[in-house]
Amino acid sequence: MTERLAYRTCPLCEATCGLEIRLVDEDVKVIRGDRENPFSNGFVCPKGTVLGRLHNDPERVRTPLIKRDGVHVEASWEEAFTEIHRRLEDLRARRGSRTLALYIGNPNAHSYQNNLAIRPLAKSLGSSNIFSASTLDQMPKHVSAGYMFGSASTIPVPDIDRTDLIVILGANPYESNGSLATAPDWPGRLEALRERGGRVVVVDPRRTKTAENADQHIPIVPGTDAALLMAIIHVLFEESLVRPGRLEPLLSGLEDVATAALPFGPEIVATRTGIDAATIRGLAREIASAERAAVYGRIGTHTVEFGTIASWAVDVIAVLTGNLDQPGGMMFPLGLHQPPTKRKRGFTTGRWRSRVRDLPEVLGELPASTMIDEMTEPGDGRIRALITVGGNPALTSPDSHALDEALASLEFMVSVDPYLNETTRHADVLLPPPSALEKSHYDIAFTTLSVRNYAMWSAPVFERPDGHPSEFDILVTLTAILSGAPADADPRSLAEATLAGQVGSAVSTPGSPIEGRDPAEILEALAVHPEITERFLDLMIRTGARGDGFGADPDGWTLQRLQQHEHGVDLGPLEPRIPEVLATPSGSVELAPEAIIADLDRLASSLEARPEGFVLVGRRELRSNNSWLHNIEVLVKGRNRCTLRVNPDDAEKLDLTDGSTATVRSSVGEVTVEVEIHDEMMAGVVSLPYGWGHARDGSRLSVASARRGVNTNVLTDRTRIDPLSGNAVLNGIPVEVAPA
Ligand SMILES: Nc1nc2c(c(=O)[nH]1)N[C@H]1C(S)=C(S)[C@@H](COP(=O)(O)OP(=O)(O)OC[C@H]3O[C@@H](n4cnc5c(=O)[nH]c(N)nc54)[C@H](O)[C@@H]3O)O[C@H]1N2
Ligand SMILES: Nc1nc2c(c(=O)[nH]1)N[C@H]1C(S)=C(S)[C@@H](COP(=O)(O)OP(=O)(O)OC[C@H]3O[C@@H](n4cnc5c(=O)[nH]c(N)nc54)[C@H](O)[C@@H]3O)O[C@H]1N2
Ligand code: SF4
Ligand SMILES: [Mo]
C-alpha cells in the first residue's frame, strides 16, 4: 500500500480553496481543506471534497464521441478531429465563416489552459458570433470598469479583511463563496469582521443565510438596486458627505454625477425599491461615516435591467466616500502574472452589431441572449454550426426551451465537455477534456480578483491517460483546423509559434522588463518547462510586476519558484494602485461616462412603473454549482432542493401549501414545481434555484436525471437585457403563480 498527499487549488468556484488530497494506491481516499494553505487556512466546502468522485464518475466522458444516426458512439481522437475538419470545411465552403459560432462557458474562467487558448480559438472562427457566460453574469461590471478605469478587467474588490462596514447587494456568499471577490471562507471572514466591531449589511429580496448572519438585512424589490444606489449618491451630495480624499485630483466628472443624481431622491425611489427614505438616508450616512467601508454588488445587481448603472454606482459610492483604492475599501488586486500597468487605450463597445437584433458587441462578444435569434432567423449569416467549450446554455441562458430547439436545428455542433448533458447531447462531436485531477492549475482570472494577493501552482495529481490530449491541445487543434491546417496538424507547432510571437513582442515593447533582450535566450530559459502552457505562464510571471525579468531582478518571481510552494504563497494585503492601474485616455477616474449618464433617463422612467403580480429571483446553494454537479450523489442526496420558495402570506393568498405544486408562468414559458413556504422571502417575490431541469433524451446523467428539477430559464425572456452590456435579465422576472 502506497500513500501520498497531493495539494491543489479547487477549480470549482471563485474561492480558490487549497485542497489536501490523500491517495492510497493512487486512489483518492479523502479530500480536505489544506490547513497549510495561507489563503484558505483549511477551509473547504462540500463541493471541493468531490473532485475524486468527479474523476471516477462512470458517466464522465473519457473518449471522443461522434453522433451516428442520432446516437453518440466512441471514436478515436484522430477520427473525431477528422470528422470536425471535414464537416467544418464543408460548411465553410457552402455557407461561409459567418455561420460559425462559439459559446464559452464558466469553467473556462477556472482554467489557465483555456484562458491561454480560448481567444485564439475565437479569432480563428472568422465570425462575430462569439458568445459566453459573461453576458449571463458579470458583463455589466466589465462595462462600468472599462468606462471608469479604462480596462474592463480593472475591477475593484471589497477588502473584507480590513473593512469596518460591508454593504452586500444581491450576493449570497454564505452559499456561493463569493464572486468577483475571491476569498476562501467568506462566512469566516464576515464573522471576523463583526468580531472586530465592524458591520455587515445585506440588501436582498430574500433573507439569505448571509442576511441571517448580518447586522442588518434590507429587503429590496428585485431589479431596483440601481435606483437605491443612485439615491445613496443623491444623499451623499445633498448632505455634503462627499469626501474623495487622496483621489480628488485624479477624478473627472464629479459635478456631472451630482447633477445626474438629482432626480433620485430617497423619497422618490422609496416606493419603487420598497425601502423607506429614512433607511436609505441612514445607509448613505453610515457608508460616509465609516472609517473604512466597502459596497459590493453581485448577481442580484448585475443580472438585472440596470446592471451597468448599478455596477458603476457602487464604484462611484466608493470614490465619493474616499473608499476606492484605500485599505478596507474597494481595492485592485495584483496577480503574480500581471504587468504593473495597463496599456492606455480606453474602452468602447459596439464595434460591430448583431445581425438580427442589432445589439452592440461588448468585449468582442455578442449577448448570449441573442444566440437563439442568430440561429433561427433566416438570412445571410444565420448560425449553422456551434462550438461549445465548457458551457451548458440549454440550461443556463434565457428562453432555454427555444435555445434547445435551436441547437437541435444546427447543421453541425462540437462540444468540448466532460459530460453528455442538456446542451452537449446536441453535439455531433464531443471532445472530453481530462479530469480536473489530470490538469495543472493556476488562477489567471481569480488572482486578479482576490481580496489578498496570493498565488498557487497545482501540478496534476494524475497523469493523463495515454493518448488523451490536454484541454489546451484540444483547443489549439480546433484553432489549427479553423485556421486551415489539416486534421492531423500538430497543435505544438502553432502554440510554439504563438509563444515565440509573444516573446518577440515583449522584447520589442518599450518599458518591458525584457526590452531589447535576445528572444532566443528568453525562449531557451522557458524551455525548462516540459509543458508549453507552463512556458506561457512563466513568461507572464517573469515579465509581471513581481517577476525576475529573466535575471534582471534575482529576487523576483518565476514559475519554478512558485512551483516550490506546494501550499501556495501569500503575497500580502492589497495595496493602493491608482494611478498606475488607470488606463483611461485622460489618465483619471472617469466618474461620469457618457453612455452610463445617458442611460439614467431609462432608470428615472422606471421609477413610475408599478409592476403587478409576482417577481421571480434566483438562488444558489452550497452543494450545487451552476448546472453541472448534480450527477454526484453526495451533493444531491436528501430532500428536493429545486423548489419554489414563497412567502407565507403570499402562499395563503394563492392557496398554496407547503409541498404542493404550483405553476409559474412568465411571458415566455411555464414550469410546474414543488412549493416551499419560506419566511425568508419578501412578499411578492418568489425564488427558484437555477441549473436544474435534467433528464433530457440523449444525455448521460443518471444521478442528475433521477432528481431532474425544473429549469428556471424556461421563464427568463431573451428580449430583456441590460442595453449597455447586453447582459441577460435573470432576476426580477414578472410571473404568475397558481396552484397546479
Ligand atoms: N454553491 C455555489 N457556489 C457558486 C455557484 C453555484 O452555482 N453554487 N456559482 C458560482 C458563480 S458562476 C457565480 S457568478 C457566483 C455568484 O455568486 P452570488 O452573486 O453570491 O450569487 P447568488 O447566490 O445567486 O446570490 C444572488 C443573490 O441576489 C439576490 N437577488 C436577486 N435579485 C436581486 C435584486 O434585484 N437585488 C438584490 N439586491 N438582490 C437580488 C438573490 O436573492 C440572491 O440571494 O457564485 C459562484 N459560486
Ligand atoms: N436563471 C439564472 N441563470 C443563470 C444564472 C442565474 O443566477 N440565474 N447564473 C449565470 C451565471 S453567473 C453563469 S456563470 C452561467 C453559467 O453558464 P454555463 O457556463 O453555460 O454553465 P455551467 O453550468 O457553468 O456549465 C459548465 C459546463 O462545463 C462543463 N465542464 C466542467 N468542467 C469542465 C472542464 O474542465 N472543461 C470543459 N471544457 N468543460 C467543463 C460541464 O460539464 C458543463 O457542461 O449561468 C448563468 N445563468
Ligand atoms: S468554496 Fe469553492 S473553491 Fe472552496 S472548496 Fe468549495 S467549491 Fe471549491
Ligand atoms: Mo457566474
Side-chain angles (χ1 to χ4, degrees):
M1 192 177 84
T2 58
E3 242 190 86
R4 72 177 167 111
L5 292 176
Y7 300 95
R8 65 175 295 121
T9 305
C10 175
L12 297 177
C13 92
E14 298 181 35
T16 71
C17 302
L19 304 177
E20 180 193 89
I21 304 175
R22 182 174 299 274
L23 298 121
V24 176
D25 292 335
E26 293 306 282
D27 228 13
V28 174
K29 281 297 163 212
V30 63
I31 300 185
R32 338 186 274 185
D34 175 10
R35 275 168 297 189
E36 288 178 66
N37 182 291
F39 196 23
S40 60
N41 300 308
F43 179 82
V44 67
C45 87
K47 296 184 294 302
T49 66
V50 305
L51 290 185
R53 292 176 209 261
L54 268 173
H55 178 80
N56 293 322
D57 183 350
E59 289 179 326
R60 178 172 68 81
V61 181
R62 287 154 170 86
T63 51
L65 302 176
I66 299 181
K67 204 184 239 180
R68 304 235 183 256
D69 302 322
V71 181
H72 283 106
V73 295
E74 289 191 0
S76 69
W77 286 95
E78 194 190 329
E79 286 165 334
F81 283 122
T82 305
E83 178 79 0
I84 293 169
H85 186 264
R86 185 176 70 78
R87 303 279 298 268
L88 284 179
E89 278 228 318
D90 166 61
L91 199 82
R92 259 187 173 165
R94 285 187 294 117
R95 305 201 187 271
S97 294
R98 286 178 66 198
T99 62
L100 310 184
L102 174 67
Y103 175 83
I104 305 163
N106 172 272
N108 288 279
H110 298 265
S111 160
Y112 84 103
Q113 302 195 13
N114 294 36
N115 281 225
L116 292 170
I118 205 80
R119 289 293 149 194
L121 174 62
K123 228 174 155 188
S124 71
L125 220 55
S127 160
S128 56
N129 290 313
I130 312 294
F131 307 92
S132 88
S134 291
T135 50
L136 305 172
D137 187 347
Q138 81 291 357
M139 196 56 106
K141 193 77 220 180
H142 291 307
V143 171
S144 72
Y147 285 130
M148 288 180 84
F149 310 120
S151 162
S153 57
T154 301
I155 294 176
V157 304
D159 185 6
I160 51 177
D161 295 341
R162 292 184 290 181
T163 197
D164 301 313
L165 167 69
I166 186 165
V167 180
I168 299 173
L169 302 107
N172 184 14
Y174 267 72
E175 309 270 2
S176 70
N177 252 296
S179 180
L180 298 188
T182 284
D185 194 12
W186 260 84
R189 287 169 195 266
L190 290 179
E191 277 145 33
L193 192 169
R194 295 184 67 199
E195 266 160 35
R196 61 176 188 266
R199 269 175 53 89
V200 177
V201 178
V202 174
V203 181
D204 198 301
R206 295 164 45 217
R207 195 183 63 250
T208 59
K209 219 169 163 187
T210 308
E212 189 87 50
N213 287 284
D215 297 275
Q216 187 183 2
H217 171 218
I218 303 176
I220 186 170
V221 172
T224 66
D225 296 57
L228 166 68
L229 293 161
M230 287 312 294
I232 291 175
I233 294 173
H234 176 103
V235 174
L236 293 176
F237 281 105
E238 188 190 48
E239 301 190 2
S240 301
L241 298 171
V242 173
R243 307 241 190 304
R246 174 176 73 88
L247 295 188
E248 189 130 26
L250 287 162
L251 305 177
S252 62
L254 195 61
E255 292 293 304
D256 298 330
V257 175
T259 311
L262 283 174
F264 299 95
E267 292 70 19
I268 294 167
V269 308
T271 325
R272 185 72 189 93
T273 57
I275 306 174
D276 60 68
T279 303
I280 299 175
R281 286 188 185 277
L283 187 57
R285 290 174 196 146
E286 191 182 354
I287 298 166
S289 64
E291 185 79 25
R292 297 169 295 190
V295 181
Y296 161 72
R298 210 34 200 108
I299 286 295
T301 59
H302 292 161
T303 58
V304 287
E305 259 176 296
F306 301 99
T308 302
I309 295 177
S311 296
W312 161 78
V314 293
D315 293 343
V316 168
I317 292 171
V319 170
L320 299 182
T321 56
N323 283 301
L324 186 76
D325 204 37
Q326 282 290 107
M330 300 296 291
M331 302 196 75
F332 300 100
L334 179 60
L336 187 61
H337 62 281
Q338 282 188 294
T341 52
K342 296 260 176 193
R343 247 188 300 158
K344 299 223 182 325
R345 55 181 158 196
F347 177 80
T348 60
T349 67
R351 291 170 294 173
W352 54 86
R353 302 185 79 90
S354 70
R355 178 182 66 102
V356 181
R357 278 162 62 189
D358 197 34
L359 300 172
E361 156 278 342
V362 178
L363 288 185
E365 299 180 15
L366 295 172
S369 294
T370 198
M371 205 157 46
I372 303 170
D373 310 301
E374 296 296 332
M375 287 177 185
T376 54
E377 181 71 25
D380 199 23
R382 174 179 172 193
I383 295 174
R384 300 319 300 136
L386 173 70
I387 301 174
T388 70
V389 182
N392 193 6
L395 289 188
T396 61
S397 66
D399 227 339
S400 39
H401 263 176
L403 181 62
D404 191 55
E405 281 170 26
L407 293 176
S409 75
L410 291 171
E411 289 181 36
F412 187 56
M413 181 167 153
V414 178
S415 291
V416 182
D417 203 288
Y419 282 104
L420 260 185
N421 61 20
E422 300 73 20
T423 297
T424 61
R425 70 194 177 111
H426 295 294
D428 296 284
V429 183
L430 183 90
L431 304 172
S435 96
L437 298 180
E438 293 161 350
K439 290 178 177 183
S440 56
H441 186 92
Y442 171 89
D443 278 297
I444 285 200
F446 301 115
T447 54
T448 71
L449 294 165
S450 180
V451 304
R452 265 187 92 83
N453 289 318
Y454 161 80
M456 173 151 175
W457 166 262
S458 313
V461 176
F462 299 125
E463 273 178 32
R464 288 193 301 275
D466 262 354
H468 197 139
S470 69
E471 186 155 10
F472 178 83
D473 281 353
I474 294 172
L475 299 178
V476 175
T477 305
L478 287 176
T479 307
I481 289 172
L482 284 160
S483 308
D488 61 356
D490 175 14
R492 293 301 149 115
S493 50
L494 185 63
E496 301 273 4
T498 308
L499 182 66
Q502 288 187 5
V503 170
S505 126
V507 296
S508 57
T509 301
S512 147
I514 54 171
E515 183 188 357
R517 298 273 291 270
D518 175 9
E521 172 216 336
I522 304 294
L523 284 167
E524 198 187 308
L526 294 171
V528 295
H529 301 289
E531 295 281 346
I532 182 102
T533 47
E534 295 175 38
R535 292 183 219 163
F536 278 102
L537 181 60
D538 198 19
L539 176 65
M540 284 190 253
I541 291 176
R542 298 180 76 172
T543 56
R546 300 183 187 82
D548 83 333
F550 289 86
D553 174 5
D555 295 330
W557 281 91
T558 65
L559 177 58
Q560 276 188 315
R561 185 174 156 202
L562 181 64
Q563 285 170 332
Q564 284 154 20
H565 295 262
E566 61 180 356
H567 304 285
V569 282
D570 180 40
L571 300 167
L574 304 185
E575 287 171 36
R577 292 192 61 208
I578 287 181
E580 72 172 31
V581 83
L582 297 177
T584 51
S586 65
S588 58
V589 176
E590 301 280 357
L591 282 178
E594 231 176 271
I596 295 178
I597 298 291
D599 200 30
L600 289 171
D601 285 343
R602 193 173 59 93
L603 180 64
S605 322
S606 79
L607 297 178
E608 285 136 42
R610 287 288 152 70
E612 306 263 312
F614 287 87
V615 281
L616 174 73
V617 297
R619 73 176 186 265
R620 283 179 162 74
E621 314 149 303
L622 192 58
R623 286 186 298 149
S624 199
N625 195 34
N626 300 341
S627 74
W628 73 279
L629 286 186
H630 297 151
N631 212 44
I632 304 298
E633 182 68 32
V634 289
L635 293 181
V636 290
K637 65 180 185 198
R639 62 172 182 84
N640 174 23
R641 280 139 55 200
C642 188
T643 56
L644 181 78
R645 288 200 179 152
V646 185
N647 164 287
D649 294 340
D650 289 338
E652 209 179 308
K653 273 186 246 157
L654 290 166
D655 211 11
L656 293 172
T657 52
D658 204 50
S660 66
T661 45
T663 304
V664 187
R665 194 173 297 125
S666 75
S667 57
V668 295
E670 181 181 308
V671 298
T672 301
V673 61
E674 184 184 328
V675 171
E676 185 185 356
I677 297 179
H678 211 305
D679 66 2
E680 72 169 22
M681 297 309 303
M682 182 177 181
V685 183
V686 292
S687 148
L688 266 179
Y690 107 101
W692 297 86
H694 305 296
R696 303 275 180 86
D697 286 348
S699 65
R700 264 184 223 164
L701 295 165
S702 51
V703 177
S705 296
R707 288 180 181 75
R708 58 198 301 170
V710 301
N711 177 6
T712 188
N713 280 320
V714 165
L715 302 170
T716 48
D717 182 339
R718 70 178 189 267
T719 64
R720 290 185 67 208
I721 58 170
D722 167 42
L724 294 185
S725 64
N727 209 90
V729 174
L730 302 170
N731 277 289
I733 312 299
V735 289
E736 286 165 29
V737 183

